Amino acid sequence: MSLCLMLASSMTVLAADTDGEFNAEQYAAEELNTWAEEHGIGVRFENFRITPINDNISDAEIEASVHSYVDMMKDAMDNMTIKVISQPTTLATNSYTASVESMIPAIGWGYIKQDFKATVSSSKISSISLVGRSYDTGFTLGSWEPNYSWYEISSNKQFCQINMKGTINYLWEGLNISKDCTFLDTFKASGSTLVDSNYLDWPD
């Protein structure tokens, strides 16, 4: 939940975005990113690569499949969960795991995760360090290929965000779909620990 394909020749006109032709990648990215932002979902999509699995699929069928895919993804985001899992702590340094649902409904379930440590005192975050690379858990037909992770601490030191970027590949109604995804988990300092927070609470 980050799992590069070039467009097949049959997709050239479809994805050319000229003369009002349907652009599959642009449509999917704009629709899903707009929907996620409007609903406060901490996931961003980019570099969509949509390829038909064979040359017999018509442009109309491709467009219908892409619309179906986007509708499915909106439903998935509407039902997704984002949670922080606290691990055993050692002295003043807390260990955590950011966990975001990877949104591959109907063909499996799973989470994208990133282990990290944070030092928190008096509801202020003084430091964060990532542990290893992001990884997926659960059972899915889609595959997660981690690219890199990074973190941000808000200017008031009360919030932090863990970003997990990778590529997801899977099949959908006659199409190979590959997209780069950044899964985002937001936390708030509370006393000497972190608690789960909402993307819309980010103050900066």
Side-chain angles (χ1 to χ4, degrees), residues 33 37 110 112 123 167 192:
N33 282 320
E37 182 176 358
I112 306 302
S123 297
T167 304
S192 60

Side-chain angles (χ1 to χ4, degrees), residues 55-73:
D55 295 335
N56 297 323
I57 300 177
S58 67
D59 287 356
E61 290 173 321
I62 293 173
E63 182 170 350
S65 292
V66 172
H67 280 280
S68 174
Y69 163 76
V70 167
D71 290 341
M72 176 275 293
M73 289 292 291

Side-chain angles (χ1 to χ4, degrees), residues 1-5 43-50 69 72-73 100-105 107 110-112 134-136 140-147 164-171 175-183:
M1 130 222 174
S2 244
L3 307 109
C4 264
L5 298 173
V43 180
R44 294 296 173 264
F45 307 98
E46 57 185 333
N47 298 328
F48 267 92
R49 296 165 292 274
I50 300 176
Y69 163 76
M72 176 275 293
M73 289 292 291
V100 182
E101 189 173 354
S102 55
M103 297 187 308
I104 311 179
I107 57 174
Y111 292 84
I112 306 302
S134 64
Y135 57 95
D136 59 339
T140 65
L141 297 182
S143 59
W144 172 255
E145 299 173 3
N147 293 340
M164 301 161 281
K165 184 172 184 177
T167 304
I168 292 180
N169 295 297
Y170 61 98
L171 296 176
L175 302 177
N176 290 306
I177 298 179
S178 173
K179 61 183 181 293
D180 293 341
C181 304
T182 301
F183 291 90

Side-chain angles (χ1 to χ4, degrees), residues 15-172:
D17 195 26
T18 58
D19 301 325
E21 293 288 344
F22 179 70
N23 185 318
E25 288 87 355
Q26 180 178 334
Y27 171 80
E30 290 180 352
E31 284 288 315
L32 295 179
N33 282 320
T34 298
W35 198 99
E37 182 176 358
E38 291 176 349
H39 291 78
I41 301 298
V43 180
R44 294 296 173 264
F45 307 98
E46 57 185 333
N47 298 328
F48 267 92
R49 296 165 292 274
I50 300 176
T51 307
I53 61 175
N54 62 63
D55 295 335
N56 297 323
I57 300 177
S58 67
D59 287 356
E61 290 173 321
I62 293 173
E63 182 170 350
S65 292
V66 172
H67 280 280
S68 174
Y69 163 76
V70 167
D71 290 341
M72 176 275 293
M73 289 292 291
K74 289 180 179 178
D75 288 340
M77 286 191 287
D78 196 35
N79 294 304
M80 73 182 291
T81 58
I82 303 176
K83 57 185 178 182
V84 59
I85 303 172
S86 181
Q87 304 290 355
T89 61
T90 58
L91 300 178
T93 302
N94 290 340
S95 296
Y96 302 89
T97 300
S99 181
V100 182
E101 189 173 354
S102 55
M103 297 187 308
I104 311 179
I107 57 174
W109 61 271
Y111 292 84
I112 306 302
K113 298 185 177 185
Q114 175 67 57
D115 299 328
F116 67 101
K117 293 184 177 182
T119 302
V120 186
S121 179
S122 301
S123 297
K124 298 287 185 178
I125 304 168
S126 58
S127 68
I128 289 178
S129 60
L130 303 179
V131 179
R133 306 179 72 187
S134 64
Y135 57 95
D136 59 339
T137 62
F139 177 77
T140 65
L141 297 182
S143 59
W144 172 255
E145 299 173 3
N147 293 340
Y148 56 91
S149 297
W150 72 97
Y151 66 87
E152 298 178 64
I153 300 176
S154 64
S155 57
N156 62 12
K157 306 298 183 181
Q158 295 179 351
F159 293 83
C160 69
Q161 292 180 330
I162 307 298
N163 298 266
M164 301 161 281
K165 184 172 184 177
T167 304
I168 292 180
N169 295 297
Y170 61 98
L171 296 176
W172 178 262

